[in-house]
Amino acid sequence: MRQLSRSFFSLALCITASLIVFAPLARAESLQPAGWDEALKLPEARDTNPDPRTVEVNLEASVSSLEIVPGVKSDVWTYNGGLPGPLIRAHVGDRVIVHFTNKLPKPTTVHWHGVRVPIEMDGVPDISQPPVEPGSAFTYEFTVPDAGLFWYHPHVMSAAQVGFGLYGALLVEDPNDTVTTADELVLVLSDIGIDDKTGALYSPDSGGGLGTLFGREGNIVLVNGRVNPTLKFRDGALQRWRIVNTAKSRYFNLVLGESQRFALIGVDGGLLEYSIEQDHLVLAPGERADVLIAPRHDAAQPLMLRTFPFDRGFGSIEFRSVEDLVTFEPSTLPSVPTASLPRVQHPVTAMSLAGATKLQMDLLVDKPTASFSIKTTPDYKHGAIPAALGETQIWTITNHAVWAHPIHLHGFFFEVLDESGAPVHPIGWKDTISVPAESTMRVAVRFDRPGSWMYHCHILDHAEAGLMSTVDVAVPAPGESGHHH
Ligand code: C2O
Ligand code: CU
């Protein structure tokens, strides 16, 4: 049962949940048919450390010949020979040690997207560490302080290297989690540009300046590295999906069947203060979602998970098609009469905004040169924002472009305060926020660890075309105002 230190909410939830929702579900007992997720389950990294609080894994980047498009081999870039890389599993507070080796023809690094690591482990070349040269190794070691689905990817030539296949998921679980369905899946959504006759990968600069301005999307959409895999399921039985969008430009706009519901229970950095039900689910590049679903079979047509074109700005929905992501195969097990999806609550304390520094950030585009820039007010050189250790800042981010920008900050979580002036609820911790075209969002963030932390658009072509800078969090020198002994 729950720890006493948890709030009344968790207890109330636990009781409600066990009475109404989880009554038919024995803890940690699957309701799905045997082998239900075989066709799309991620390989897992092997933990070589016997200490239960330490997860120690080997990770090797190399070029591997894989059949992504059925019948055609492609030389994709992989971690441990797979696309995506292996799922790394840990629990809150664990020590994670990753022995990384670079067998690629180019330098690379590993960035732990969303994890509150020390700056030395952030994987940014020449800020955190020198790039890992071909044939060299680097050991990443950090503690995972937050539950949630995180991910890892290179931070050298990111648009090219992520586009070629380098990404994987890191799942950090909370042993006190109140959601206890046994039937869980981690879904890594991505796309890749492949010539389906020769198997050659698209060039990272295909389409020239227009390609850069729009952000390059692959022509093949993948779920855990596969094209439209099959998932066996039991009608009406609850499943929990943790989903990450690792595509370098594509937004996913997920729809299950004829708009069956998703209960969104968590986002990038853990559970929301309360869950919300949605009939579609949008994930910008870099974002994660934690959802509950209870898929229902429809005798008239096969149940599918699809992604619909999402309007992320100029030219993003014209001539676009709906893509099939997962095909559901009903089992003969008796159906579970689900009345409604569970409601999940989780104590989340809003940030204290007392004494916060205010900053205006303008995201600008220059079409003739196919470049982007960031202007801050006060005006700091190249947008590099100074912050004192422990400082809270409120950023008003105005996107002047006709395309949305998913802005990612390394090392810290945002609390979204409002979007186009409307307060945002429920509260959840975000490291990647999609700022729609020609609109404004306000976020708060507290900088509690020193270092030079990147922020950038996670449409990786945009980042490389100028939508990228740093927040420089300094420890105040002795005697400086604000320093306490
Ligand atoms: Cu996921 Cu700097 O990126
Ligand atoms: Cu962008």
Side-chain angles (χ1 to χ4, degrees), residues 387-389 473-485:
L389 193 66
V473 186
V475 186
E480 246 179 67
S481 71
H483 181 81
H484 305 281
H485 286 278

PDB file of all heavy atoms in Angstrom, residues 387-389 473-485:
ATOM      1  N   ALA A 387      21.634  33.404 -15.252  1.00  0.00           N
ATOM      2  CA  ALA A 387      20.759  33.141 -14.104  1.00  0.00           C
ATOM      3  C   ALA A 387      21.634  32.856 -12.891  1.00  0.00           C
ATOM      4  O   ALA A 387      22.682  32.215 -13.017  1.00  0.00           O
ATOM      5  CB  ALA A 387      19.852  31.945 -14.380  1.00  0.00           C
ATOM      6  N   ALA A 388      21.202  33.340 -11.732  1.00  0.00           N
ATOM      7  CA  ALA A 388      21.905  33.011 -10.491  1.00  0.00           C
ATOM      8  C   ALA A 388      21.421  31.638 -10.034  1.00  0.00           C
ATOM      9  O   ALA A 388      20.321  31.208 -10.382  1.00  0.00           O
ATOM     10  CB  ALA A 388      21.616  34.057  -9.433  1.00  0.00           C
ATOM     11  N   LEU A 389      22.268  30.970  -9.256  1.00  0.00           N
ATOM     12  CA  LEU A 389      21.869  29.665  -8.731  1.00  0.00           C
ATOM     13  C   LEU A 389      20.636  29.848  -7.847  1.00  0.00           C
ATOM     14  O   LEU A 389      20.639  30.678  -6.945  1.00  0.00           O
ATOM     15  CB  LEU A 389      23.035  29.064  -7.942  1.00  0.00           C
ATOM     16  CG  LEU A 389      22.884  27.595  -7.592  1.00  0.00           C
ATOM     17  CD1 LEU A 389      22.908  26.721  -8.839  1.00  0.00           C
ATOM     18  CD2 LEU A 389      23.993  27.165  -6.644  1.00  0.00           C
ATOM     19  N   VAL A 473      23.865  29.258 -15.821  1.00  0.00           N
ATOM     20  CA  VAL A 473      23.533  29.309 -14.407  1.00  0.00           C
ATOM     21  C   VAL A 473      24.835  29.296 -13.619  1.00  0.00           C
ATOM     22  O   VAL A 473      25.592  28.332 -13.665  1.00  0.00           O
ATOM     23  CB  VAL A 473      22.652  28.120 -13.971  1.00  0.00           C
ATOM     24  CG1 VAL A 473      22.198  28.293 -12.525  1.00  0.00           C
ATOM     25  CG2 VAL A 473      21.459  27.967 -14.902  1.00  0.00           C
ATOM     26  N   ALA A 474      25.082  30.404 -12.927  1.00  0.00           N
ATOM     27  CA  ALA A 474      26.365  30.559 -12.244  1.00  0.00           C
ATOM     28  C   ALA A 474      26.173  30.458 -10.752  1.00  0.00           C
ATOM     29  O   ALA A 474      25.132  30.824 -10.217  1.00  0.00           O
ATOM     30  CB  ALA A 474      26.965  31.908 -12.585  1.00  0.00           C
ATOM     31  N   VAL A 475      27.197  29.945 -10.077  1.00  0.00           N
ATOM     32  CA  VAL A 475      27.231  29.992  -8.619  1.00  0.00           C
ATOM     33  C   VAL A 475      27.745  31.389  -8.274  1.00  0.00           C
ATOM     34  O   VAL A 475      28.789  31.787  -8.774  1.00  0.00           O
ATOM     35  CB  VAL A 475      28.197  28.931  -8.060  1.00  0.00           C
ATOM     36  CG1 VAL A 475      28.131  28.889  -6.544  1.00  0.00           C
ATOM     37  CG2 VAL A 475      27.899  27.585  -8.664  1.00  0.00           C
ATOM     38  N   PRO A 476      27.004  32.185  -7.445  1.00  0.00           N
ATOM     39  CA  PRO A 476      27.506  33.514  -7.145  1.00  0.00           C
ATOM     40  C   PRO A 476      28.855  33.439  -6.424  1.00  0.00           C
ATOM     41  O   PRO A 476      29.061  32.560  -5.583  1.00  0.00           O
ATOM     42  CB  PRO A 476      26.432  34.136  -6.247  1.00  0.00           C
ATOM     43  CG  PRO A 476      25.392  33.113  -6.033  1.00  0.00           C
ATOM     44  CD  PRO A 476      25.767  31.851  -6.757  1.00  0.00           C
ATOM     45  N   ALA A 477      29.770  34.326  -6.800  1.00  0.00           N
ATOM     46  CA  ALA A 477      31.089  34.355  -6.154  1.00  0.00           C
ATOM     47  C   ALA A 477      30.925  34.830  -4.717  1.00  0.00           C
ATOM     48  O   ALA A 477      30.007  35.574  -4.411  1.00  0.00           O
ATOM     49  CB  ALA A 477      32.013  35.288  -6.916  1.00  0.00           C
ATOM     50  N   PRO A 478      31.818  34.375  -3.787  1.00  0.00           N
ATOM     51  CA  PRO A 478      31.726  34.826  -2.399  1.00  0.00           C
ATOM     52  C   PRO A 478      31.720  36.357  -2.352  1.00  0.00           C
ATOM     53  O   PRO A 478      32.478  37.000  -3.071  1.00  0.00           O
ATOM     54  CB  PRO A 478      32.994  34.258  -1.759  1.00  0.00           C
ATOM     55  CG  PRO A 478      33.440  33.146  -2.642  1.00  0.00           C
ATOM     56  CD  PRO A 478      32.964  33.479  -4.016  1.00  0.00           C
ATOM     57  N   GLY A 479      30.830  36.922  -1.522  1.00  0.00           N
ATOM     58  CA  GLY A 479      30.782  38.368  -1.393  1.00  0.00           C
ATOM     59  C   GLY A 479      29.794  39.011  -2.344  1.00  0.00           C
ATOM     60  O   GLY A 479      29.342  40.123  -2.115  1.00  0.00           O
ATOM     61  N   GLU A 480      29.402  38.301  -3.407  1.00  0.00           N
ATOM     62  CA  GLU A 480      28.396  38.849  -4.311  1.00  0.00           C
ATOM     63  C   GLU A 480      27.047  38.861  -3.614  1.00  0.00           C
ATOM     64  O   GLU A 480      26.783  38.036  -2.762  1.00  0.00           O
ATOM     65  CB  GLU A 480      28.270  37.943  -5.556  1.00  0.00           C
ATOM     66  CG  GLU A 480      28.707  38.605  -6.838  1.00  0.00           C
ATOM     67  CD  GLU A 480      28.563  37.634  -8.008  1.00  0.00           C
ATOM     68  OE1 GLU A 480      27.420  37.295  -8.339  1.00  0.00           O
ATOM     69  OE2 GLU A 480      29.602  37.217  -8.559  1.00  0.00           O
ATOM     70  N   SER A 481      26.224  39.808  -3.998  1.00  0.00           N
ATOM     71  CA  SER A 481      24.906  39.867  -3.363  1.00  0.00           C
ATOM     72  C   SER A 481      24.148  38.585  -3.704  1.00  0.00           C
ATOM     73  O   SER A 481      24.278  38.036  -4.791  1.00  0.00           O
ATOM     74  CB  SER A 481      24.142  41.099  -3.840  1.00  0.00           C
ATOM     75  OG  SER A 481      23.766  40.928  -5.184  1.00  0.00           O
ATOM     76  N   GLY A 482      23.373  38.136  -2.742  1.00  0.00           N
ATOM     77  CA  GLY A 482      22.626  36.908  -2.968  1.00  0.00           C
ATOM     78  C   GLY A 482      23.386  35.676  -2.468  1.00  0.00           C
ATOM     79  O   GLY A 482      22.849  34.597  -2.425  1.00  0.00           O
ATOM     80  N   HIS A 483      24.648  35.860  -2.057  1.00  0.00           N
ATOM     81  CA  HIS A 483      25.394  34.702  -1.571  1.00  0.00           C
ATOM     82  C   HIS A 483      25.196  34.557  -0.068  1.00  0.00           C
ATOM     83  O   HIS A 483      25.308  35.508   0.682  1.00  0.00           O
ATOM     84  CB  HIS A 483      26.881  34.893  -1.890  1.00  0.00           C
ATOM     85  CG  HIS A 483      27.714  33.732  -1.440  1.00  0.00           C
ATOM     86  ND1 HIS A 483      27.817  32.570  -2.166  1.00  0.00           N
ATOM     87  CD2 HIS A 483      28.478  33.566  -0.348  1.00  0.00           C
ATOM     88  CE1 HIS A 483      28.599  31.734  -1.551  1.00  0.00           C
ATOM     89  NE2 HIS A 483      29.016  32.303  -0.436  1.00  0.00           N
ATOM     90  N   HIS A 484      24.886  33.367   0.369  1.00  0.00           N
ATOM     91  CA  HIS A 484      24.692  33.107   1.799  1.00  0.00           C
ATOM     92  C   HIS A 484      25.640  32.022   2.255  1.00  0.00           C
ATOM     93  O   HIS A 484      25.899  31.090   1.510  1.00  0.00           O
ATOM     94  CB  HIS A 484      23.244  32.673   2.070  1.00  0.00           C
ATOM     95  CG  HIS A 484      22.247  33.655   1.566  1.00  0.00           C
ATOM     96  ND1 HIS A 484      21.948  34.804   2.241  1.00  0.00           N
ATOM     97  CD2 HIS A 484      21.518  33.684   0.445  1.00  0.00           C
ATOM     98  CE1 HIS A 484      21.055  35.479   1.559  1.00  0.00           C
ATOM     99  NE2 HIS A 484      20.767  34.828   0.463  1.00  0.00           N
ATOM    100  N   HIS A 485      26.106  32.169   3.495  1.00  0.00           N
ATOM    101  CA  HIS A 485      26.981  31.124   4.025  1.00  0.00           C
ATOM    102  C   HIS A 485      26.178  30.112   4.808  1.00  0.00           C
ATOM    103  O   HIS A 485      25.137  30.410   5.318  1.00  0.00           O
ATOM    104  CB  HIS A 485      28.064  31.744   4.934  1.00  0.00           C
ATOM    105  CG  HIS A 485      29.094  32.459   4.083  1.00  0.00           C
ATOM    106  ND1 HIS A 485      30.135  31.814   3.467  1.00  0.00           N
ATOM    107  CD2 HIS A 485      29.207  33.746   3.747  1.00  0.00           C
ATOM    108  CE1 HIS A 485      30.849  32.672   2.791  1.00  0.00           C
ATOM    109  NE2 HIS A 485      30.316  33.864   2.944  1.00  0.00           N
TER     110      HIS A 485
END
